[in-house]
Amino acid sequence: MNENLLYIKDTIINKLDIDGDQINLLNGDLTVEIEDVELLKVVDFFTIDADCQFTTLVDITAVDYPSNEKRFKLVYHFLSMVQNHRIRLVFWINDGDVVSSITGIHSSANWFEREVFDMYGIQFSGHPDLRRLLTD
């Protein structure tokens, strides 16, 4: 892990009070595992913190594990063009759980959240236009 990634990891640990075990290096990117209730706080921090500057939302997706107690793993990818690094934010939810929309922080989340809703049936609270993409 290069020094810049170590610095970003330490910044997240210290400023967000996240356990270091929740942050891992995977394929040259940091992966941060959180609880779903922390989503808005963490995304806002990633965006506005001067040491992070992950201002570009690259993608939101989900992975379905039908046999797991918490069925869905939500995965958010962010890019810091200033730092030239990517970060992955993940958390698990149960079937039927409602996730907070991040459209108020990243307007580009609108399409990605609609896609996750359409493909996996995951609801996003506070989304301005949550409707299906493929069959509307």
Side-chain angles (χ1 to χ4, degrees), residues 25-94:
L25 182 67
L26 183 62
N27 299 326
D29 299 328
L30 288 175
T31 299
V32 180
E33 187 160 347
I34 62 167
E35 296 295 322
D36 60 328
V37 295
E38 300 173 301
L39 176 64
L40 293 177
K41 175 182 81 169
V42 173
V43 171
D44 189 51
F45 172 81
F46 283 176
T47 304
I48 65 172
D49 184 79
D51 293 323
C52 292
Q53 299 184 46
F54 290 99
T55 56
T56 303
L57 174 64
V58 176
D59 187 33
I60 302 172
T61 191
V63 183
D64 186 1
Y65 296 90
S67 60
N68 284 9
E69 180 181 334
K70 288 197 171 194
R71 180 172 177 171
F72 296 105
K73 180 180 189 178
L74 267 78
V75 183
Y76 293 68
H77 293 106
F78 298 92
L79 170 67
S80 171
M81 289 184 266
V82 173
Q83 303 285 351
N84 193 27
H85 287 297
R86 295 176 184 267
I87 196 163
R88 183 178 302 109
L89 181 65
V90 300
F91 59 90
W92 294 85
I93 62 168
N94 293 312

Side-chain angles (χ1 to χ4, degrees), residues 113-126:
E113 289 176 354
R114 286 180 63 190
E115 184 178 49
V116 170
F117 167 67
D118 196 15
M119 301 302 291
Y120 298 96
I122 297 170
Q123 300 275 334
F124 291 89
S125 67

